[in-house]
Amino acid sequence: MRRHRRDPRESTPPDDVFKEMVQAARELLAVRSPLDAELMVSDMIGAWWGRRVRGGDVEQVLGEGLVDYAAKAGTPASLTLLICLAYLGTARQGAKAEGAALAMMESGVARPGWADRVGAVKPAGCYVSRDAYGDQDTVICTFAYRFGEGEQERGDALAGAAGGQERHALVMVVDHNMSGMARDAWVSSQVDKLLEQARAEAAGNPMLLFGEIEPQQARALLESAMKATSEPKTPPPVSDSYSAYHAFARARLKALPPGRKRPAPLHIEAPYSRERRAMLAAEFLASDAAEHLSDPSAASRCADHIIEYGCEQDFSRPLRVSPTKCETFLLDWLPRKVMLSTAEQEAMPHVLAAWVRFAARRSGLPEQGLKATLDAVWEAIGKFPEAYRDPTSFGLDRPLLERLLPDGDLSALARRAFAFPFLQGFHNGIELDRLNPADEADRRALLEIDHVGTMDEEHLAWHEEIAARLWEGDPPQLWEAAQRLLDLGHDRHDVLHVLIEIAERIGGDPDELAAALDDIADIPDEF
């Protein structure tokens, strides 16, 4: 039931968009079941999911704007739209839509007979299909509509007329190699066929597992996955259909009983302490899998990075190995995040292959999975020298890199070099190579050198504040805004002064600061 939806990024005034959506809502009057109506409206409001608009949050500007416009329309179609929005919208949208719908019903505006059953569902069972690697979970949550006393016979008739759509399944795919985000979603009315197919696939494939899970587990996993999908500032790599089902999925999960707050995979481990990580590394280095490694010191440091990736990026699962996880670690995460020595660069691919053998035995990965993972590692090894550029190739010597990256976080290099551009040479008898930008006292001295002739202590204090935030990457939007302005050709000091002006104006509210930084598109002419 997908249809063309206007993109909110187009320059059409919001009222014109709302008018089209209310007119499209006339189709709701012709549907025969609440499920059809919910899916239509979820598709409709999915047009703005993940978008950015000027003037505030997209759900407030467009979502609540649509509620207000529909309330003013006062037609049966707009009432039906409001009834669906009361269920499918955000908390604020839902409250506004419910109030407006009640007022319209009291004034005598007609609504379809099925409207009272919108969202009136109960869970009927939850299931998960999982690959043996632990890369991906396909979660199936089944629901059925509730009926009041005396309504069951009418409900059975409606279900038959609607082609059996009263019982339905929400299917969501969770990708644990992408921070546990929800990558796909859809709805099926063929519940029995869907479950039979999933069972049959698992029965004939040792690399697939299928079983029933507690509704509380399903809710915790999927709510965490949807939150992870909504967090990236750039459009997440989701399916084309995800936005259309986002509102429906968000609402349906609330019908599942709440449970433990622990997010992520259903087979999650407890967090690894520093001592537990060190013990795991020692066990690996003493294992048969690692006996061929020729540089124990480099191998130890490489093992630490592998364990860190599994703990910090894979929900405390350092022993989980898969072709995709190993490729992502070797060709994406390491080149972006970790400063390796020459010895570590040479050792890392071989240590990773040894780790795969060690971890596969510990985790019980089938032989078929072990072979496929090793094949992927050896294939990636040929690409690793090109993917990992030694930071010294950027024209910076290693002592300078170590001063800028005492934590080894390679992703921080650009923003820290932007914050502290003068780190070498002499100035007024001071040897800059001896100043540590991570030290507060030395940091102040470096900023004073960067602002020769500036005696305003308050101004220097603000530069110190921004430099400290850039050093830590807090908030991430600060460096993102700086990069956008630099890409437009603006001078470094002008960019810093814009960031200072925003931080000074906003104050200490982190959410407001992040939102204001997100809105920066260019330096105003009057600045």
Side-chain angles (χ1 to χ4, degrees), residues 314-335:
D314 193 28
F315 308 101
S316 296
R317 297 189 297 173
L319 291 170
R320 185 182 81 81
V321 292
S322 76
T324 301
K325 180 180 177 181
C326 289
E327 289 172 0
T328 303
F329 168 75
L330 195 62
L331 303 180
D332 179 64
W333 188 77
L334 272 177

Side-chain angles (χ1 to χ4, degrees), residues 59-291:
E59 294 289 0
Q60 180 179 357
V61 174
L62 295 178
E64 295 177 32
L66 175 60
V67 172
D68 292 337
Y69 189 93
K72 293 176 183 177
T75 64
S78 66
L79 171 58
T80 308
L81 176 59
L82 286 170
I83 290 171
C84 292
L85 288 172
Y87 171 65
L88 295 168
T90 63
R92 283 173 57 94
Q93 293 167 11
K96 292 186 70 172
E98 182 178 8
L102 289 172
M104 290 174 67
M105 286 187 286
E106 289 175 1
S107 67
V109 179
R111 65 188 188 278
W114 49 257
D116 290 340
R117 293 169 51 235
V118 168
V121 296
K122 58 182 178 181
C126 296
Y127 310 83
V128 64
S129 177
R130 179 188 309 130
D131 66 79
Y133 295 119
D135 283 339
Q136 182 173 284
D137 290 337
T138 300
V139 183
I140 304 171
C141 299
T142 64
F143 301 89
Y145 281 89
R146 292 192 181 96
F147 296 97
E149 187 176 351
E151 287 188 305
Q152 186 63 54
E153 185 175 343
R154 181 169 66 88
D156 292 340
L158 282 169
Q165 288 187 327
E166 295 303 300
R167 185 165 171 246
H168 53 281
L170 168 67
V171 186
M172 297 191 73
V173 178
V174 181
D175 189 336
H176 298 301
N177 289 314
M178 292 293 293
S179 303
M181 67 170 53
R183 294 285 297 273
D184 200 0
W186 68 93
V187 172
S188 173
S189 59
Q190 303 296 318
V191 177
D192 292 334
K193 182 178 179 180
L194 178 69
L195 295 177
E196 288 172 8
Q197 182 179 351
R199 290 191 183 97
E201 289 177 351
N205 187 346
M207 295 298 294
L208 279 180
L209 308 170
F210 179 80
E212 189 167 5
I213 59 173
E214 293 295 326
Q216 296 92 330
Q217 286 181 296
R219 177 170 176 171
L221 171 61
L222 293 180
E223 285 186 337
S224 172
M226 293 187 74
K227 183 175 184 292
T229 303
S230 67
E231 286 177 345
K233 293 302 177 184
T234 55
V238 298
S239 69
D240 292 340
S241 65
Y242 181 80
S243 62
Y245 292 101
H246 176 265
F248 181 90
R250 178 180 60 195
R252 275 298 188 270
L253 293 184
K254 294 177 183 176
L256 299 176
R260 58 187 185 185
K261 298 294 184 181
R262 191 74 185 170
L266 302 172
H267 42 298
I268 188 173
E269 294 191 34
Y272 274 64
S273 65
R274 182 177 300 178
E275 292 76 16
R276 190 181 176 196
R277 295 185 191 192
M279 185 178 298
L280 182 60
E283 290 174 5
F284 162 66
L285 294 170
S287 70
D288 293 341
E291 64 181 357

Side-chain angles (χ1 to χ4, degrees), residues 371-382:
K371 183 179 183 302
T373 304
L374 285 173
D375 287 345
V377 170
W378 294 124
E379 183 176 344
I381 284 176

Side-chain angles (χ1 to χ4, degrees), residues 18-19 30 35 51 78 111 134 177 227 235 252 260 263 298 303 351 366 419 467 472 490 509:
F18 299 152
K19 181 180 179 181
L35 179 61
R51 308 300 187 191
S78 66
R111 65 188 188 278
N177 289 314
K227 183 175 184 292
R252 275 298 188 270
R260 58 187 185 185
V351 176
E472 298 295 337
H490 292 295
D509 189 312

